[in-house]
Amino acid sequence: MIALDQITQDIIERLRGAGADKAYCTAATSVTREFNVDGGQFSLMRTLFDNSLSLTGIVGGKKGSVGINKFDDAAVSQAVADCMASANSAEADAAWDLAPEGGTRTFTQGVLEADEDRLFDRTAELMEQISKRFPKILVEQMIVSHVRSHSVYRNTNGAFYTKDAGYYNVDLMFSGHDGEAASSFFGTGAITDSLDHPFMELGSIERDLADVEKQIYTKSVGEKFTGVLLLPPGCLGSFLGDIADNFASDGPVLEGTSIWRDRLGEQVADRRITISFAPGAKEIVCGQSYTGEGFLAEDFDFIREGKLESFLVSLYVSNKTGVPRAKNSGGSMIMRPGDRSLQEIIASIDKGILVGRFSGGQPGTNGDFSGVAKNSFLIENGKITDAVSETMISGNLADMLQNVVAISRETVADGYTVLPWAAFGGITVSGK
């Protein structure tokens, strides 16, 4: 085991010796044991080793950062010199800072030792289940792995955090085929700290395979209409991520382009919406333990019962704007479930579209979006009918939050997030 604690201590001392007023660094190693499947067949088994080192120095309010993947003395010496050169050439900004208090903490998460035999068996089991239950699915690529990491964080305010984490990861890329006909490709996956359950049961893997097998033959949506957008958990997470990025993250808040900039504590969404960033939740596998600035990560509500409770900003942007900093760096999103079953929601929709995957550009600063709905189904008269060919959908992210039709009781936990299905009205679907 590489002595990362000694490496980080040495780096902090060198940065101080070179003139840094404040500094922090993270050194990490990881080992990945991986099985690859290509075209439905095992193709590769390998073990990957990775090192990473990042260091930041602040001198006279000027900040410089460097990242490398080596730990030898020559590489570290050069990184320290480059970091200080970067800081000295930067513009001074008093907003750069660290968490005011440090301490020593040790974190252990997940499963540290890989059971490679059982991991292989679970992988083979998943391949066999796909072949038997979804014969029209071609697994173009599957990567199943165990990742173990060891990291050490240290800063000049006395923070010294050590973390050991391990998890199993399942990632699939696949499509449906029937002779020459084929669906659009789709990706799904999950992480877990246990091999007690078949991979088919993780996240939304089973439902995603079933849906894609039904998307080989598609029909046009027909005429343009305004209706309901039903988002499964995976696609919902993408939309909520865009909402957070567009209205609450560092850039829009700092630049003043966020339409929520002065709405902290105000109603910005339907009262049924509560969204949290909760790395400490039991459903989250190996969530964040501390931030780069040296704060211990805490769970927090982003939106609670429709009210904006927190922006997602760093200490730097907080110091620049006066907006309270976020209690973690984002990720580990959890949305409170609703009070209706998915089937009840579908039965309530007269005209709409269930979108499994969305491909669009960056939303406008006001939240306007437009893009292509992929892996999708038409909903008519309370029933899911035809798989639809790629079609355009458009709307506004802020308006979506106010136009909630329903949120499902069911949720999907994939190790990264815990999200329900959600339906939103007022979405334009462009047919012929």
Side-chain angles (χ1 to χ4, degrees), residues 30-45:
S30 67
V31 180
T32 301
R33 292 176 170 83
E34 177 181 289
F35 298 117
N36 286 16
V37 175
D38 291 285
Q41 301 292 324
F42 277 104
S43 60
L44 182 66
M45 179 178 71

Side-chain angles (χ1 to χ4, degrees), residues 7-24:
I7 290 172
T8 55
Q9 181 177 340
D10 180 54
I11 288 172
I12 292 297
E13 291 174 355
R14 292 190 190 199
L15 287 169
R16 276 177 162 163
D21 304 315
K22 301 174 183 180
Y24 60 92

Side-chain angles (χ1 to χ4, degrees), residues 225-230 349-353 405 424-429:
F225 68 90
T226 299
V228 174
L229 172 66
L230 178 58
I349 298 173
D350 291 328
K351 187 83 169 181
I353 186 170
V405 173
F424 306 91
I427 301 299
T428 300
V429 181

Side-chain angles (χ1 to χ4, degrees), residues 355-391:
V355 176
R357 184 163 61 94
F358 177 74
S359 177
Q362 180 69 27
T365 55
N366 68 343
D368 285 344
F369 70 88
S370 179
V372 180
K374 299 172 179 282
N375 302 103
S376 301
F377 295 96
L378 194 64
I379 303 175
E380 298 176 293
N381 301 316
K383 294 181 179 179
I384 294 177
T385 57
D386 299 313
V388 296
S389 53
E390 295 182 359
T391 190

Side-chain angles (χ1 to χ4, degrees), residues 19 35 110 173 262 284 402 417 427:
F35 298 117
M173 186 68 66
D262 300 312
I284 301 299
Q402 301 283 1
T417 61
I427 301 299

